[in-house]
Amino acid sequence: MTTPQGKHTPPNPTGMFENRLRKNARHFRKWARARGLTCFRIYDRDIPEYPYAVDEYGDHIHLVEYPRRRALQSGTVEQQREEVLATVAHVLEVAPEHIHVKTHTPQPWGRTQYERLGQDSERFVVEEQGLKFWVNLKDYLDTGLFMDHRLTRARVREEAQGKRFLNLFAYTGAFTVYAASGGAAHTTTVDLSNTYLDWAEENLALNGLSAPRHTLIRADVLPWLEEQAEEPDRYELIVCDPPSFSTSKRMSGSFNVQRDHSRLLAAIRAVLAPGGVLYFSTNFLGFELKDTAIRDFEKVEELTPASIPEDFQRKEIHRCWRMVAPRATRP
């Protein structure tokens, strides 16, 4: 911009944020309607000066700030947050009380993965590709639905017909709902948290999918898997989306995805049927898949970035692989 005196002035970053938010909202709201989504990402740290993620969940907004060190040191975070809140309410036409703000700061490894932030228990239903899910935007840093796995969930639904399905580190069971809706003959959902297993059960009921063939198991995944190697049942379709790091009084030790993924994949391979498919994902972006961890699979295909939906524009939210077991047991 040039003043009448010919001097250049820097662009107004608040105006830049407002313009980008308005443009994104116009595009992604239309995009989401065409795909049967009432929850999706509108803004993803597009402008470096405004490090926020803006997600729409029905008539609510989930706003996560990723404050920069400089802003924390200068004490400008709160002022910018107020600007962003006012802009989001105005541009997206949402009531201020329906904007749920959280701050994402790097946590030391070992912090409880989905630590509870509040006790409001205010939940509501969102829709995704013909299915419904309970979400909670207040009580946890995460909402109950990892939207970045939307495309992989659709793959699971397409492949589930007549198969035995296993969901490991299942969280609130969204993959299980997709597998059940795709006609899975049986599903097994494993997580260490009773809270999330109850949530998974409620998600199944919400979609009219409650049935005895859908089993929910509270267990530490890795020891449970290794115990299952002696059982005759095998699974034709498995999803495993482990935390980067996890520790709990209910666990035997800790879990580190980089350190433990070879052992984890070996245990999964032992319960995977001949020709069975594993979808393995991690949000640890520094993850390196060891060749020795996948040598017993016939085919390994990395789906990243094709597994990341269009509304997650940053393209760095997870990594995902599709692994296939040999169709015949090797001699």
Side-chain angles (χ1 to χ4, degrees), residues 21 25-26 28-30 32-33 37-43 53-63 88 91-94 98 124 126-127 135 137 145 147 150 311:
L21 185 66
R26 187 163 50 244
F28 282 112
R29 281 174 167 173
K30 181 179 179 181
R33 283 195 299 272
L37 310 175
T38 65
C39 53
F40 52 95
R41 179 152 292 184
I42 292 177
Y43 174 92
V54 181
D55 297 332
E56 184 163 296
Y57 286 80
D59 60 354
H60 291 249
I61 296 296
H62 189 244
L63 178 68
V88 167
V91 172
L92 302 183
E93 299 180 319
V94 59
H98 281 188
F124 60 93
V126 293
E127 298 182 19
V135 294
L137 306 191
L145 185 65
M147 296 189 295
R150 191 189 302 129
D311 49 328

Side-chain angles (χ1 to χ4, degrees), residues 56-232:
E56 184 163 296
Y57 286 80
D59 60 354
H60 291 249
I61 296 296
H62 189 244
L63 178 68
V64 181
E65 58 180 352
Y66 297 80
R68 293 174 156 191
R69 186 178 293 108
R70 184 184 303 173
L72 289 170
Q73 292 172 346
S74 65
T76 60
V77 172
E78 291 188 7
Q79 179 183 342
Q80 186 185 68
R81 185 188 303 136
E82 292 303 316
E83 294 174 3
V84 168
L85 278 168
T87 302
V88 167
H90 171 66
V91 172
L92 302 183
E93 299 180 319
V94 59
E97 61 269 23
H98 281 188
I99 302 175
H100 309 277
V101 184
K102 295 170 189 168
T103 301
H104 186 283
T105 54
Q107 299 292 344
W109 281 39
R111 177 69 59 86
T112 303
Q113 188 188 12
Y114 308 120
E115 188 172 6
R116 190 154 194 158
L117 305 176
Q119 300 290 333
D120 289 339
S121 298
E122 182 180 316
R123 301 191 305 166
F124 60 93
V125 175
V126 293
E127 298 182 19
E128 182 185 272
Q129 302 176 136
L131 296 170
K132 298 178 180 179
F133 298 92
W134 287 105
V135 294
N136 182 329
L137 306 191
K138 287 188 175 182
D139 292 348
Y140 306 87
L141 182 59
D142 296 299
T143 66
L145 185 65
F146 291 134
M147 296 189 295
D148 59 300
H149 283 302
R150 191 189 302 129
L151 298 181
T152 307
R153 286 194 284 269
R155 280 176 171 261
V156 166
R157 178 164 58 182
E158 291 171 1
E159 298 181 27
Q161 181 64 46
K163 295 179 180 177
R164 292 179 56 84
F165 172 74
L166 175 61
N167 188 2
L168 301 169
F169 302 99
Y171 190 37
T172 59
F175 274 107
T176 302
V177 172
Y178 269 79
S181 71
H186 183 275
T187 71
T188 300
T189 302
V190 184
D191 197 277
L192 192 58
S193 167
N194 278 328
T195 297
Y196 293 118
L197 288 174
D198 289 344
W199 200 327
E201 188 172 22
E202 291 165 354
N203 278 335
L204 284 166
L206 182 63
N207 290 278
L209 295 168
S210 297
R213 67 179 182 275
H214 302 308
T215 304
L216 296 101
I217 297 173
R218 179 184 173 276
D220 187 356
V221 167
L222 192 45
W224 180 85
L225 267 175
E226 291 173 336
E227 292 172 3
Q228 299 308 301
E230 304 300 321
E231 299 296 326

Side-chain angles (χ1 to χ4, degrees), residues 261-281:
H261 77 275
S262 292
R263 179 184 167 194
L264 175 63
L265 289 174
I268 292 173
R269 175 67 186 85
V271 301
L272 194 58
V277 171
L278 163 67
Y279 284 99
F280 177 78
S281 180

